[in-house]
Amino acid sequence: MKNNFLRVLGIENPDKKSIQDLSIKLDIPVQKLKYYNDYNILPDISELDKIEAKLSVKRYKLMLGMEIYDKELLNILRDNIDQITPILSRPYRKKSIEQKKLPIFQTQYGKLYNQDCIKLMQELESESVDLIFADPPFNLNKFYLSAINDNLSDRDYLEWCEKWIDECIRILKTGGTFYLWNLPKWNSYLADYLNKRLSFKHWIATDIKYTLPIAGRLYPSHYSLLMYTKGIKANTFHPDRMPMEICNNCYKEIKDYGGYKDKMNPKGINLSDVWLDIPPVRHKKYKAREEANELSIKLLDRIIEASSNPGDIVFDPFGGSGTTYAVAEIKERNWIGTELGPVDTIVERFSRLAEERDYLNQLRQAYNNLFTEKVKKERKKRGIWTDDTFTQLNEQGSLFNSDLVKQSR
Ligand SMILES: C[S@@+](CC[C@H](N)C(=O)[O-])C[C@H]1O[C@@H](n2cnc3c(N)ncnc32)[C@H](O)[C@@H]1O
């Protein structure tokens, strides 16, 4: 969207002279023209009149070219649906004449490609994947082996994100789920884009500190994980339930849970939209590729368990060190992945999947139970209630015999 104002006025590569000439022709100061161009602002009415009179460029052409869609413009489009639909229905995607690339690596469940994710997605069928997780570069001027430019202007970065998001939406099945991992700064814009195309489900704040404190600003302490479904309802959503938080010394519960212990589900606490238990991957021993911004397999385990079933197709456009692919393989989901840079780390990771499988199995022992076996034993020893204390479940699955719970508090 850069330079759109001047581009619509016929100046493709603006330089000092071309802007000066335009300024004279339109009788609008150079500074103002630059301002409209740099900030994508529509000129005021008197200037729009000058533009129309001198250049025959109408206000709506400028608005469309600058992607400024106000209510009035949208009303005009809506009132002319029959004229506009045939234009929009013309095929716009160029048919690729390139040879379709073959996967560079295959496993029992997955296919890994070594190419640009947009190009790969253009080869994939519409409505063909069940779950997408995307962790793009954050445009923080970081070095990637893929040699991508991670220092784009804000506009160019967001425009690139919109491009690959469009393809993700196309290949996602109706009822499929799309997760987007990014900094809150970028997700605040991308959520607006997604809200117009998919159904918003959650903004999950994941507490991982990612930079040093900066003077005059709050300490950035969470990543944003957006969750959307295509269509109103997700085909699959069975999030894990979490164990109760327990004091490591006295084994009593740490939180009050609003005084509703007698209504608690013995399968655990509802997962909230604030995740405090996802570890950063820092230690080199556990980090598959230093520059790849590797995510914890605990995060992908939670997402894949919640929003897919064995046999489903999981897609991740930004391979990095292959965290999504490793977890999908362990969980017997089919997966499709791509990485623009070298893929040796991903391939190598698959040779030691057993370690990651063991770690996930261990983690999962704590999920979907109010207490781990160890905590249960310790609480019983101390005469504190556990879910075994309750012998009967009511129809909703809530616990009876609340007197015992109250006694223990
Ligand atoms: C933030 S990392 C992903 C890390 C990954 N989630 C993990 O846990 O290992 C983003 C990755 O996307 C890759 N990448 C950037 N642009 C790409 C593109 N257009 N197509 C495919 N991969 C791309 C980068 O090389 C980088 O490895």
Side-chain angles (χ1 to χ4, degrees):
M1 284 212 295
K2 229 168 124 198
N3 293 334
N4 276 354
F5 170 66
L6 292 175
R7 198 175 291 156
V8 182
L9 298 188
I11 301 179
E12 204 51 52
N13 299 305
D15 55 17
K16 208 169 163 194
K17 178 158 184 334
S18 56
I19 301 177
Q20 257 165 5
D21 289 350
L22 186 69
S23 162
I24 293 164
K25 191 164 186 182
L26 292 175
D27 189 24
I28 299 176
V30 165
Q31 281 317 100
K32 271 188 138 181
L33 294 177
K34 280 190 177 160
Y35 168 72
Y36 296 144
N37 195 48
D38 292 347
Y39 292 91
N40 209 52
I41 305 273
L42 199 67
D44 65 35
I45 295 281
S46 63
E47 290 161 342
L48 285 171
D49 287 346
K50 286 183 191 171
I51 290 170
E52 183 167 352
K54 303 267 172 61
L55 301 176
S56 303
V57 174
K58 291 195 188 301
R59 171 183 175 192
Y60 294 116
K61 179 169 175 178
L62 256 181
M63 288 171 77
L64 285 168
M66 293 170 73
E67 300 182 22
I68 297 173
Y69 307 116
D70 71 358
K71 204 77 201 128
E72 190 192 348
L73 179 68
L74 291 174
N75 284 342
I76 296 173
L77 294 176
R78 192 199 53 217
D79 292 345
N80 292 284
I81 280 177
D82 289 341
Q83 286 75 24
I84 289 164
T85 307
I87 300 170
L88 295 177
S89 307
R90 284 181 202 151
Y92 76 100
R93 205 171 331 122
K94 286 183 225 132
K95 271 263 168 258
S96 168
I97 45 159
E98 277 178 42
Q99 193 77 33
K100 198 172 161 176
K101 274 213 179 185
L102 294 172
I104 194 158
F105 174 63
Q106 289 199 43
T107 64
Q108 182 179 359
Y109 292 102
K111 283 186 183 156
L112 175 67
Y113 294 82
N114 188 198
Q115 69 177 115
D116 178 89
C117 63
I118 299 179
K119 280 204 176 125
L120 172 69
M121 284 189 274
Q122 285 170 347
E123 302 286 349
L124 301 180
E125 291 279 311
S126 298
E127 303 255 340
S128 62
V129 309
D130 299 277
L131 167 62
I132 299 178
F133 172 82
D135 168 21
F138 299 154
N139 205 32
L140 290 175
N141 199 11
K142 228 182 99 89
F143 168 73
Y144 285 94
L145 287 175
S146 49
I148 54 149
N149 179 356
D150 195 41
N151 193 21
L152 299 169
S153 70
D154 287 7
R155 270 174 183 279
D156 285 351
Y157 176 70
L158 290 170
E159 216 175 49
W160 172 71
C161 287
E162 289 172 6
K163 257 194 208 153
W164 61 258
I165 286 174
D166 280 348
E167 281 301 320
C168 286
I169 293 173
R170 185 185 60 76
I171 65 170
L172 189 64
K173 286 182 191 169
T174 301
T177 307
F178 177 66
Y179 286 88
L180 173 55
W181 176 266
N182 211 324
L183 305 178
K185 168 181 168 176
W186 298 125
N187 269 0
S188 64
Y189 289 98
L190 298 174
D192 178 52
Y193 190 75
L194 284 160
N195 286 340
K196 296 177 183 123
R197 292 159 176 85
L198 298 174
S199 303
F200 172 84
K201 295 294 164 194
H202 295 288
W203 173 297
I204 300 164
T206 307
D207 179 8
I208 304 177
K209 301 186 178 35
Y210 50 85
T211 175
L212 294 170
I214 302 162
R217 292 175 62 181
L218 297 181
Y219 189 177
S221 186
H222 84 279
Y223 285 88
S224 152
L225 176 62
L226 287 171
M227 178 189 169
Y228 283 82
T229 59
K230 188 163 173 179
I232 292 168
K233 200 172 169 293
N235 291 339
T236 307
F237 190 53
H238 29 60
D240 288 317
R241 300 183 76 92
M242 295 291 114
M244 210 182 221
E245 284 180 57
I246 299 295
C247 161
N248 283 336
N249 295 320
C250 69
Y251 288 92
K252 286 188 175 169
E253 49 272 28
I254 289 171
K255 284 192 192 162
D256 185 23
Y257 295 101
Y260 288 110
K261 287 195 190 74
D262 55 337
K263 299 270 186 304
M264 285 191 130
N265 191 318
K267 287 199 160 35
I269 313 287
N270 274 332
L271 188 63
S272 85
D273 57 7
V274 179
W275 296 357
L276 304 170
D277 60 338
I278 304 297
V281 182
R282 282 221 180 90
H283 199 289
K284 227 175 175 169
K285 182 174 168 213
Y286 302 107
K287 198 163 177 167
R289 198 167 97 191
E290 199 51 41
E291 52 75 41
N293 278 357
E294 180 180 343
L295 293 173
S296 161
I297 54 174
K298 188 173 183 182
L299 175 74
L300 269 304
D301 174 73
R302 185 165 296 166
I303 291 169
I304 289 177
E305 282 282 347
S307 297
S308 70
N309 292 308
D312 280 357
I313 301 181
V314 177
F315 176 69
D316 181 338
F318 302 102
S321 67
T323 313
T324 307
Y325 316 144
V327 177
E329 184 85 11
I330 292 169
K331 314 234 136 246
E332 301 181 357
R333 271 63 167 175
N334 296 305
W335 58 268
I336 304 170
T338 188
E339 164 58 48
L340 196 55
V343 296
D344 46 324
T345 321
I346 304 179
V347 174
E348 193 265 326
R349 187 172 189 162
F350 275 79
S351 64
R352 48 181 174 81
L353 221 50
E355 266 175 52
E356 310 211 84
R357 182 179 280 115
D358 289 349
Y359 171 65
L360 289 184
N361 285 342
Q362 201 189 325
L363 277 182
R364 302 211 64 76
Q365 286 172 15
Y367 297 158
N368 303 310
N369 286 305
L370 214 41
F371 308 108
T372 61
E373 281 308 314
K374 178 176 178 243
V375 167
K376 206 186 256 191
K377 216 166 110 194
E378 294 293 338
R379 281 173 71 94
K380 279 183 182 166
K381 238 176 25 194
R382 290 165 173 76
I384 311 172
W385 68 274
T386 72
D387 41 327
D388 290 347
T389 315
F390 309 100
T391 48
Q392 230 185 334
L393 295 172
N394 72 9
E395 283 161 10
Q396 283 87 44
S398 64
L399 299 170
F400 267 139
N401 210 347
S402 57
D403 286 349
L404 276 168
V405 176
K406 283 172 192 148
Q407 276 168 28
S408 82
R409 288 173 58 193

